[in-house]
PDB file of all heavy atoms in Angstrom:
ATOM      1  N   ALA Q  22      -6.460  19.031  -4.382  1.00 94.00           N
ATOM      2  CA  ALA Q  22      -5.861  18.687  -3.097  1.00 94.00           C
ATOM      3  C   ALA Q  22      -4.909  19.777  -2.629  1.00 94.00           C
ATOM      4  O   ALA Q  22      -4.987  20.237  -1.487  1.00 94.00           O
ATOM      5  CB  ALA Q  22      -5.147  17.346  -3.199  1.00 94.00           C
ATOM      6  N   VAL Q  23      -4.012  20.215  -3.512  1.00 93.00           N
ATOM      7  CA  VAL Q  23      -3.013  21.202  -3.096  1.00 93.00           C
ATOM      8  C   VAL Q  23      -3.668  22.548  -2.801  1.00 93.00           C
ATOM      9  O   VAL Q  23      -3.353  23.219  -1.814  1.00 93.00           O
ATOM     10  CB  VAL Q  23      -1.912  21.344  -4.163  1.00 93.00           C
ATOM     11  CG1 VAL Q  23      -0.962  22.471  -3.794  1.00 93.00           C
ATOM     12  CG2 VAL Q  23      -1.157  20.047  -4.304  1.00 93.00           C
ATOM     13  N   LEU Q  24      -4.634  22.922  -3.655  1.00 93.00           N
ATOM     14  CA  LEU Q  24      -5.347  24.170  -3.407  1.00 93.00           C
ATOM     15  C   LEU Q  24      -6.115  24.085  -2.090  1.00 93.00           C
ATOM     16  O   LEU Q  24      -6.152  25.041  -1.307  1.00 93.00           O
ATOM     17  CB  LEU Q  24      -6.319  24.434  -4.563  1.00 93.00           C
ATOM     18  CG  LEU Q  24      -6.408  25.874  -5.058  1.00 93.00           C
ATOM     19  CD1 LEU Q  24      -5.049  26.379  -5.465  1.00 93.00           C
ATOM     20  CD2 LEU Q  24      -7.381  25.966  -6.224  1.00 93.00           C
ATOM     21  N   GLY Q  25      -6.713  22.928  -1.851  1.00 93.00           N
ATOM     22  CA  GLY Q  25      -7.449  22.710  -0.605  1.00 93.00           C
ATOM     23  C   GLY Q  25      -6.527  22.808   0.600  1.00 93.00           C
ATOM     24  O   GLY Q  25      -6.890  23.338   1.649  1.00 93.00           O
ATOM     25  N   MET Q  26      -5.266  22.288   0.448  1.00 92.00           N
ATOM     26  CA  MET Q  26      -4.290  22.428   1.522  1.00 92.00           C
ATOM     27  C   MET Q  26      -4.034  23.903   1.797  1.00 92.00           C
ATOM     28  O   MET Q  26      -3.896  24.329   2.955  1.00 92.00           O
ATOM     29  CB  MET Q  26      -2.965  21.753   1.136  1.00 92.00           C
ATOM     30  CG  MET Q  26      -2.983  20.241   1.215  1.00 92.00           C
ATOM     31  SD  MET Q  26      -1.482  19.557   0.467  1.00 92.00           S
ATOM     32  CE  MET Q  26      -0.527  19.186   1.928  1.00 92.00           C
ATOM     33  N   GLY Q  27      -4.007  24.701   0.738  1.00 91.00           N
ATOM     34  CA  GLY Q  27      -3.813  26.138   0.899  1.00 91.00           C
ATOM     35  C   GLY Q  27      -4.946  26.759   1.703  1.00 91.00           C
ATOM     36  O   GLY Q  27      -4.711  27.524   2.640  1.00 91.00           O
ATOM     37  N   TYR Q  28      -6.182  26.398   1.352  1.00 90.00           N
ATOM     38  CA  TYR Q  28      -7.342  26.893   2.107  1.00 90.00           C
ATOM     39  C   TYR Q  28      -7.213  26.540   3.583  1.00 90.00           C
ATOM     40  O   TYR Q  28      -7.417  27.366   4.467  1.00 90.00           O
ATOM     41  CB  TYR Q  28      -8.634  26.234   1.606  1.00 90.00           C
ATOM     42  CG  TYR Q  28      -9.253  26.853   0.390  1.00 90.00           C
ATOM     43  CD1 TYR Q  28      -9.449  26.109  -0.763  1.00 90.00           C
ATOM     44  CD2 TYR Q  28      -9.681  28.170   0.407  1.00 90.00           C
ATOM     45  CE1 TYR Q  28     -10.049  26.652  -1.874  1.00 90.00           C
ATOM     46  CE2 TYR Q  28     -10.280  28.726  -0.708  1.00 90.00           C
ATOM     47  CZ  TYR Q  28     -10.461  27.959  -1.836  1.00 90.00           C
ATOM     48  OH  TYR Q  28     -11.050  28.495  -2.931  1.00 90.00           O
ATOM     49  N   SER Q  29      -6.898  25.253   3.837  1.00 88.00           N
ATOM     50  CA  SER Q  29      -6.848  24.775   5.212  1.00 88.00           C
ATOM     51  C   SER Q  29      -5.738  25.451   5.993  1.00 88.00           C
ATOM     52  O   SER Q  29      -5.899  25.789   7.164  1.00 88.00           O
ATOM     53  CB  SER Q  29      -6.650  23.261   5.221  1.00 88.00           C
ATOM     54  OG  SER Q  29      -7.828  22.647   4.789  1.00 88.00           O
ATOM     55  N   LEU Q  30      -4.593  25.635   5.304  1.00 88.00           N
ATOM     56  CA  LEU Q  30      -3.440  26.282   5.939  1.00 88.00           C
ATOM     57  C   LEU Q  30      -3.824  27.692   6.380  1.00 88.00           C
ATOM     58  O   LEU Q  30      -3.571  28.091   7.524  1.00 88.00           O
ATOM     59  CB  LEU Q  30      -2.315  26.353   4.906  1.00 88.00           C
ATOM     60  CG  LEU Q  30      -0.896  26.230   5.394  1.00 88.00           C
ATOM     61  CD1 LEU Q  30      -0.718  24.946   6.159  1.00 88.00           C
ATOM     62  CD2 LEU Q  30       0.045  26.271   4.197  1.00 88.00           C
ATOM     63  N   ILE Q  31      -4.455  28.432   5.480  1.00 89.00           N
ATOM     64  CA  ILE Q  31      -4.862  29.805   5.789  1.00 89.00           C
ATOM     65  C   ILE Q  31      -5.881  29.803   6.919  1.00 89.00           C
ATOM     66  O   ILE Q  31      -5.814  30.619   7.838  1.00 89.00           O
ATOM     67  CB  ILE Q  31      -5.431  30.494   4.526  1.00 89.00           C
ATOM     68  CG1 ILE Q  31      -4.291  30.860   3.588  1.00 89.00           C
ATOM     69  CG2 ILE Q  31      -6.234  31.740   4.904  1.00 89.00           C
ATOM     70  CD1 ILE Q  31      -4.723  31.508   2.312  1.00 89.00           C
ATOM     71  N   TYR Q  32      -6.798  28.848   6.868  1.00 86.00           N
ATOM     72  CA  TYR Q  32      -7.838  28.812   7.898  1.00 86.00           C
ATOM     73  C   TYR Q  32      -7.222  28.508   9.251  1.00 86.00           C
ATOM     74  O   TYR Q  32      -7.555  29.129  10.258  1.00 86.00           O
ATOM     75  CB  TYR Q  32      -8.900  27.776   7.537  1.00 86.00           C
ATOM     76  CG  TYR Q  32     -10.033  27.748   8.530  1.00 86.00           C
ATOM     77  CD1 TYR Q  32     -10.842  28.850   8.703  1.00 86.00           C
ATOM     78  CD2 TYR Q  32     -10.269  26.623   9.314  1.00 86.00           C
ATOM     79  CE1 TYR Q  32     -11.865  28.854   9.613  1.00 86.00           C
ATOM     80  CE2 TYR Q  32     -11.293  26.611  10.232  1.00 86.00           C
ATOM     81  CZ  TYR Q  32     -12.092  27.730  10.384  1.00 86.00           C
ATOM     82  OH  TYR Q  32     -13.099  27.725  11.304  1.00 86.00           O
ATOM     83  N   LYS Q  33      -6.309  27.550   9.284  1.00 82.00           N
ATOM     84  CA  LYS Q  33      -5.676  27.169  10.541  1.00 82.00           C
ATOM     85  C   LYS Q  33      -4.849  28.317  11.103  1.00 82.00           C
ATOM     86  O   LYS Q  33      -4.879  28.605  12.289  1.00 82.00           O
ATOM     87  CB  LYS Q  33      -4.774  25.937  10.311  1.00 82.00           C
ATOM     88  CG  LYS Q  33      -5.406  24.638  10.792  1.00 82.00           C
ATOM     89  CD  LYS Q  33      -5.284  24.488  12.291  1.00 82.00           C
ATOM     90  CE  LYS Q  33      -6.520  23.929  12.952  1.00 82.00           C
ATOM     91  NZ  LYS Q  33      -6.707  22.523  12.894  1.00 82.00           N
ATOM     92  N   ALA Q  34      -4.091  28.971  10.233  1.00 82.00           N
ATOM     93  CA  ALA Q  34      -3.153  29.979  10.718  1.00 82.00           C
ATOM     94  C   ALA Q  34      -3.833  31.306  11.037  1.00 82.00           C
ATOM     95  O   ALA Q  34      -3.441  31.997  11.964  1.00 82.00           O
ATOM     96  CB  ALA Q  34      -2.046  30.206   9.689  1.00 82.00           C
ATOM     97  N   THR Q  35      -4.859  31.690  10.263  1.00 82.00           N
ATOM     98  CA  THR Q  35      -5.428  33.017  10.463  1.00 82.00           C
ATOM     99  C   THR Q  35      -6.919  32.983  10.760  1.00 82.00           C
ATOM    100  O   THR Q  35      -7.516  34.025  11.019  1.00 82.00           O
ATOM    101  CB  THR Q  35      -5.191  33.918   9.228  1.00 82.00           C
ATOM    102  OG1 THR Q  35      -5.763  33.285   8.084  1.00 82.00           O
ATOM    103  CG2 THR Q  35      -3.729  34.142   8.996  1.00 82.00           C
ATOM    104  N   GLY Q  36      -7.539  31.795  10.684  1.00 80.00           N
ATOM    105  CA  GLY Q  36      -8.971  31.703  10.949  1.00 80.00           C
ATOM    106  C   GLY Q  36      -9.808  32.380   9.883  1.00 80.00           C
ATOM    107  O   GLY Q  36     -10.950  32.734  10.127  1.00 80.00           O
ATOM    108  N   LEU Q  37      -9.245  32.563   8.693  1.00 84.00           N
ATOM    109  CA  LEU Q  37      -9.959  33.287   7.643  1.00 84.00           C
ATOM    110  C   LEU Q  37     -10.195  32.407   6.430  1.00 84.00           C
ATOM    111  O   LEU Q  37      -9.629  31.332   6.296  1.00 84.00           O
ATOM    112  CB  LEU Q  37      -9.148  34.515   7.210  1.00 84.00           C
ATOM    113  CG  LEU Q  37      -8.890  35.546   8.279  1.00 84.00           C
ATOM    114  CD1 LEU Q  37      -7.938  36.593   7.755  1.00 84.00           C
ATOM    115  CD2 LEU Q  37     -10.181  36.183   8.736  1.00 84.00           C
ATOM    116  N   MET Q  38     -11.046  32.911   5.554  1.00 85.00           N
ATOM    117  CA  MET Q  38     -11.306  32.197   4.316  1.00 85.00           C
ATOM    118  C   MET Q  38     -10.897  33.091   3.167  1.00 85.00           C
ATOM    119  O   MET Q  38     -11.130  34.294   3.199  1.00 85.00           O
ATOM    120  CB  MET Q  38     -12.783  31.886   4.219  1.00 85.00           C
ATOM    121  CG  MET Q  38     -13.036  30.561   3.613  1.00 85.00           C
ATOM    122  SD  MET Q  38     -14.750  30.145   3.814  1.00 85.00           S
ATOM    123  CE  MET Q  38     -15.464  31.287   2.691  1.00 85.00           C
ATOM    124  N   ASN Q  39     -10.270  32.517   2.172  1.00 88.00           N
ATOM    125  CA  ASN Q  39      -9.761  33.306   1.072  1.00 88.00           C
ATOM    126  C   ASN Q  39     -10.476  32.939  -0.222  1.00 88.00           C
ATOM    127  O   ASN Q  39     -10.219  31.899  -0.809  1.00 88.00           O
ATOM    128  CB  ASN Q  39      -8.257  33.052   0.934  1.00 88.00           C
ATOM    129  CG  ASN Q  39      -7.674  33.766  -0.253  1.00 88.00           C
ATOM    130  OD1 ASN Q  39      -8.288  34.663  -0.810  1.00 88.00           O
ATOM    131  ND2 ASN Q  39      -6.485  33.360  -0.642  1.00 88.00           N
ATOM    132  N   MET Q  42      -8.401  32.443  -3.798  1.00 92.00           N
ATOM    133  CA  MET Q  42      -7.448  31.341  -3.983  1.00 92.00           C
ATOM    134  C   MET Q  42      -7.328  30.929  -5.449  1.00 92.00           C
ATOM    135  O   MET Q  42      -6.236  30.766  -5.969  1.00 92.00           O
ATOM    136  CB  MET Q  42      -7.933  30.162  -3.146  1.00 92.00           C
ATOM    137  CG  MET Q  42      -6.874  29.197  -2.812  1.00 92.00           C
ATOM    138  SD  MET Q  42      -5.616  29.995  -1.846  1.00 92.00           S
ATOM    139  CE  MET Q  42      -4.827  28.574  -1.239  1.00 92.00           C
ATOM    140  N   LEU Q 160       5.169  20.314   1.513  1.00 90.00           N
ATOM    141  CA  LEU Q 160       4.440  21.082   2.522  1.00 90.00           C
ATOM    142  C   LEU Q 160       4.382  20.306   3.832  1.00 90.00           C
ATOM    143  O   LEU Q 160       4.577  20.867   4.916  1.00 90.00           O
ATOM    144  CB  LEU Q 160       3.034  21.397   2.010  1.00 90.00           C
ATOM    145  CG  LEU Q 160       2.250  22.454   2.771  1.00 90.00           C
ATOM    146  CD1 LEU Q 160       2.991  23.775   2.751  1.00 90.00           C
ATOM    147  CD2 LEU Q 160       0.865  22.634   2.164  1.00 90.00           C
ATOM    148  N   LEU Q 164       6.091  21.679   7.240  1.00 86.00           N
ATOM    149  CA  LEU Q 164       5.327  21.970   8.457  1.00 86.00           C
ATOM    150  C   LEU Q 164       5.809  21.154   9.642  1.00 86.00           C
ATOM    151  O   LEU Q 164       5.767  21.613  10.779  1.00 86.00           O
ATOM    152  CB  LEU Q 164       3.843  21.687   8.220  1.00 86.00           C
ATOM    153  CG  LEU Q 164       3.090  22.681   7.350  1.00 86.00           C
ATOM    154  CD1 LEU Q 164       1.659  22.244   7.162  1.00 86.00           C
ATOM    155  CD2 LEU Q 164       3.120  24.068   7.969  1.00 86.00           C
ATOM    156  N   ALA Q 177      -0.625  28.820  14.881  1.00 80.00           N
ATOM    157  CA  ALA Q 177      -2.001  28.436  14.542  1.00 80.00           C
ATOM    158  C   ALA Q 177      -2.724  27.917  15.783  1.00 80.00           C
ATOM    159  O   ALA Q 177      -3.909  28.139  15.972  1.00 80.00           O
ATOM    160  CB  ALA Q 177      -1.996  27.364  13.457  1.00 80.00           C
ATOM    161  N   THR Q 197       2.297  32.189   5.625  1.00 90.00           N
ATOM    162  CA  THR Q 197       1.292  31.171   5.319  1.00 90.00           C
ATOM    163  C   THR Q 197       0.514  31.545   4.064  1.00 90.00           C
ATOM    164  O   THR Q 197       0.338  30.713   3.157  1.00 90.00           O
ATOM    165  CB  THR Q 197       0.289  31.040   6.484  1.00 90.00           C
ATOM    166  OG1 THR Q 197       1.020  30.892   7.689  1.00 90.00           O
ATOM    167  CG2 THR Q 197      -0.614  29.868   6.289  1.00 90.00           C
ATOM    168  N   SER Q 201       0.657  29.537   0.419  1.00 93.00           N
ATOM    169  CA  SER Q 201      -0.488  28.955  -0.276  1.00 93.00           C
ATOM    170  C   SER Q 201      -0.688  29.610  -1.632  1.00 93.00           C
ATOM    171  O   SER Q 201      -1.059  28.940  -2.602  1.00 93.00           O
ATOM    172  CB  SER Q 201      -1.759  29.012   0.582  1.00 93.00           C
ATOM    173  OG  SER Q 201      -1.933  30.283   1.093  1.00 93.00           O
ATOM    174  N   ALA Q 230     -11.913  22.771  -5.030  1.00 92.00           N
ATOM    175  CA  ALA Q 230     -10.904  22.570  -3.988  1.00 92.00           C
ATOM    176  C   ALA Q 230     -11.481  22.867  -2.611  1.00 92.00           C
ATOM    177  O   ALA Q 230     -11.248  22.155  -1.634  1.00 92.00           O
ATOM    178  CB  ALA Q 230      -9.700  23.471  -4.256  1.00 92.00           C
ATOM    179  N   PHE Q 231     -12.238  23.919  -2.579  1.00 88.00           N
ATOM    180  CA  PHE Q 231     -13.011  24.363  -1.442  1.00 88.00           C
ATOM    181  C   PHE Q 231     -13.909  23.230  -0.940  1.00 88.00           C
ATOM    182  O   PHE Q 231     -13.917  22.889   0.245  1.00 88.00           O
ATOM    183  CB  PHE Q 231     -13.874  25.402  -2.091  1.00 88.00           C
ATOM    184  CG  PHE Q 231     -14.377  26.520  -1.357  1.00 88.00           C
ATOM    185  CD1 PHE Q 231     -13.556  27.378  -0.709  1.00 88.00           C
ATOM    186  CD2 PHE Q 231     -15.740  26.734  -1.412  1.00 88.00           C
ATOM    187  CE1 PHE Q 231     -14.100  28.479  -0.125  1.00 88.00           C
ATOM    188  CE2 PHE Q 231     -16.261  27.831  -0.843  1.00 88.00           C
ATOM    189  CZ  PHE Q 231     -15.447  28.714  -0.191  1.00 88.00           C
ATOM    190  N   GLY Q 233     -13.524  20.137  -1.564  1.00 91.00           N
ATOM    191  CA  GLY Q 233     -12.644  19.087  -1.072  1.00 91.00           C
ATOM    192  C   GLY Q 233     -12.177  19.362   0.344  1.00 91.00           C
ATOM    193  O   GLY Q 233     -12.200  18.485   1.207  1.00 91.00           O
ATOM    194  N   ALA Q 234     -11.791  20.623   0.585  1.00 89.00           N
ATOM    195  CA  ALA Q 234     -11.296  20.978   1.914  1.00 89.00           C
ATOM    196  C   ALA Q 234     -12.388  20.803   2.962  1.00 89.00           C
ATOM    197  O   ALA Q 234     -12.134  20.316   4.063  1.00 89.00           O
ATOM    198  CB  ALA Q 234     -10.783  22.418   1.908  1.00 89.00           C
ATOM    199  N   VAL Q 235     -13.619  21.176   2.611  1.00 87.00           N
ATOM    200  CA  VAL Q 235     -14.731  21.033   3.553  1.00 87.00           C
ATOM    201  C   VAL Q 235     -15.014  19.561   3.812  1.00 87.00           C
ATOM    202  O   VAL Q 235     -15.194  19.135   4.961  1.00 87.00           O
ATOM    203  CB  VAL Q 235     -16.005  21.713   3.011  1.00 87.00           C
ATOM    204  CG1 VAL Q 235     -17.196  21.394   3.886  1.00 87.00           C
ATOM    205  CG2 VAL Q 235     -15.800  23.202   2.926  1.00 87.00           C
ATOM    206  N   GLY Q 237     -13.057  17.054   3.604  1.00 88.00           N
ATOM    207  CA  GLY Q 237     -12.019  16.415   4.404  1.00 88.00           C
ATOM    208  C   GLY Q 237     -12.035  16.891   5.852  1.00 88.00           C
ATOM    209  O   GLY Q 237     -11.486  16.234   6.725  1.00 88.00           O
ATOM    210  N   GLY Q 238     -12.623  18.031   6.091  1.00 84.00           N
ATOM    211  CA  GLY Q 238     -12.580  18.634   7.437  1.00 84.00           C
ATOM    212  C   GLY Q 238     -11.800  19.925   7.316  1.00 84.00           C
ATOM    213  O   GLY Q 238     -10.570  19.910   7.290  1.00 84.00           O
ATOM    214  N   TYR Q 239     -12.524  21.053   7.241  1.00 83.00           N
ATOM    215  CA  TYR Q 239     -11.870  22.321   6.932  1.00 83.00           C
ATOM    216  C   TYR Q 239     -10.823  22.653   7.990  1.00 83.00           C
ATOM    217  O   TYR Q 239     -11.097  22.631   9.178  1.00 83.00           O
ATOM    218  CB  TYR Q 239     -12.922  23.417   6.856  1.00 83.00           C
ATOM    219  CG  TYR Q 239     -12.550  24.540   5.931  1.00 83.00           C
ATOM    220  CD1 TYR Q 239     -12.497  24.334   4.569  1.00 83.00           C
ATOM    221  CD2 TYR Q 239     -12.241  25.795   6.418  1.00 83.00           C
ATOM    222  CE1 TYR Q 239     -12.155  25.354   3.706  1.00 83.00           C
ATOM    223  CE2 TYR Q 239     -11.898  26.828   5.575  1.00 83.00           C
ATOM    224  CZ  TYR Q 239     -11.856  26.595   4.212  1.00 83.00           C
ATOM    225  OH  TYR Q 239     -11.513  27.616   3.364  1.00 83.00           O
ATOM    226  N   GLY Q 240      -9.619  22.958   7.551  1.00 81.00           N
ATOM    227  CA  GLY Q 240      -8.558  23.275   8.483  1.00 81.00           C
ATOM    228  C   GLY Q 240      -7.560  22.142   8.629  1.00 81.00           C
ATOM    229  O   GLY Q 240      -6.498  22.306   9.189  1.00 81.00           O
ATOM    230  N   ASN Q 241      -7.918  20.969   8.094  1.00 85.00           N
ATOM    231  CA  ASN Q 241      -7.016  19.834   8.181  1.00 85.00           C
ATOM    232  C   ASN Q 241      -6.397  19.587   6.803  1.00 85.00           C
ATOM    233  O   ASN Q 241      -7.104  19.257   5.849  1.00 85.00           O
ATOM    234  CB  ASN Q 241      -7.805  18.608   8.634  1.00 85.00           C
ATOM    235  CG  ASN Q 241      -6.912  17.417   8.894  1.00 85.00           C
ATOM    236  OD1 ASN Q 241      -6.059  17.092   8.068  1.00 85.00           O
ATOM    237  ND2 ASN Q 241      -7.100  16.790  10.043  1.00 85.00           N
ATOM    238  N   ILE Q 242      -5.054  19.753   6.696  1.00 86.00           N
ATOM    239  CA  ILE Q 242      -4.467  19.694   5.354  1.00 86.00           C
ATOM    240  C   ILE Q 242      -4.515  18.284   4.760  1.00 86.00           C
ATOM    241  O   ILE Q 242      -4.611  18.125   3.559  1.00 86.00           O
ATOM    242  CB  ILE Q 242      -3.028  20.253   5.314  1.00 86.00           C
ATOM    243  CG1 ILE Q 242      -2.098  19.474   6.222  1.00 86.00           C
ATOM    244  CG2 ILE Q 242      -2.991  21.727   5.651  1.00 86.00           C
ATOM    245  CD1 ILE Q 242      -0.644  19.817   5.952  1.00 86.00           C
ATOM    246  N   TYR Q 243      -4.500  17.269   5.614  1.00 89.00           N
ATOM    247  CA  TYR Q 243      -4.562  15.911   5.054  1.00 89.00           C
ATOM    248  C   TYR Q 243      -5.987  15.595   4.607  1.00 89.00           C
ATOM    249  O   TYR Q 243      -6.204  14.911   3.599  1.00 89.00           O
ATOM    250  CB  TYR Q 243      -4.050  14.907   6.074  1.00 89.00           C
ATOM    251  CG  TYR Q 243      -2.704  15.321   6.616  1.00 89.00           C
ATOM    252  CD1 TYR Q 243      -2.548  15.831   7.888  1.00 89.00           C
ATOM    253  CD2 TYR Q 243      -1.593  15.269   5.775  1.00 89.00           C
ATOM    254  CE1 TYR Q 243      -1.328  16.275   8.349  1.00 89.00           C
ATOM    255  CE2 TYR Q 243      -0.358  15.711   6.218  1.00 89.00           C
ATOM    256  CZ  TYR Q 243      -0.226  16.210   7.510  1.00 89.00           C
ATOM    257  OH  TYR Q 243       0.980  16.671   7.931  1.00 89.00           O
ATOM    258  N   GLY Q 244      -6.951  16.133   5.352  1.00 89.00           N
ATOM    259  CA  GLY Q 244      -8.344  15.993   4.937  1.00 89.00           C
ATOM    260  C   GLY Q 244      -8.568  16.627   3.573  1.00 89.00           C
ATOM    261  O   GLY Q 244      -9.281  16.077   2.730  1.00 89.00           O
ATOM    262  N   ALA Q 245      -7.918  17.785   3.362  1.00 91.00           N
ATOM    263  CA  ALA Q 245      -8.076  18.478   2.086  1.00 91.00           C
ATOM    264  C   ALA Q 245      -7.575  17.622   0.930  1.00 91.00           C
ATOM    265  O   ALA Q 245      -8.153  17.614  -0.154  1.00 91.00           O
ATOM    266  CB  ALA Q 245      -7.328  19.804   2.123  1.00 91.00           C
ATOM    267  N   VAL Q 246      -6.474  16.865   1.168  1.00 93.00           N
ATOM    268  CA  VAL Q 246      -5.933  15.998   0.117  1.00 93.00           C
ATOM    269  C   VAL Q 246      -6.951  14.917  -0.241  1.00 93.00           C
ATOM    270  O   VAL Q 246      -7.279  14.702  -1.416  1.00 93.00           O
ATOM    271  CB  VAL Q 246      -4.602  15.354   0.571  1.00 93.00           C
ATOM    272  CG1 VAL Q 246      -4.134  14.321  -0.441  1.00 93.00           C
ATOM    273  CG2 VAL Q 246      -3.555  16.432   0.772  1.00 93.00           C
ATOM    274  N   GLU Q 290     -13.218  18.398  11.916  1.00 65.00           N
ATOM    275  CA  GLU Q 290     -12.802  19.728  12.350  1.00 65.00           C
ATOM    276  C   GLU Q 290     -14.047  20.470  12.810  1.00 65.00           C
ATOM    277  O   GLU Q 290     -15.105  20.381  12.193  1.00 65.00           O
ATOM    278  CB  GLU Q 290     -12.129  20.472  11.198  1.00 65.00           C
ATOM    279  CG  GLU Q 290     -10.781  19.894  10.793  1.00 65.00           C
ATOM    280  CD  GLU Q 290      -9.694  20.130  11.824  1.00 65.00           C
ATOM    281  OE1 GLU Q 290      -9.763  21.130  12.557  1.00 65.00           O
ATOM    282  OE2 GLU Q 290      -8.780  19.289  11.901  1.00 65.00           O
TER     283      GLU Q 290
END
Side-chain angles (χ1 to χ4, degrees):
Chain Q
V23 174
L24 221 56
M26 284 170 101
Y28 277 121
S29 289
L30 213 56
I31 285 179
Y32 183 63
K33 258 281 139 80
T35 58
L37 299 173
M38 217 169 71
N39 176 16
M42 202 61 164
L160 194 60
L164 287 178
T197 310
S201 49
F231 208 57
V235 172
Y239 209 69
N241 186 312
I242 60 167
Y243 309 106
V246 173
E290 291 290 331

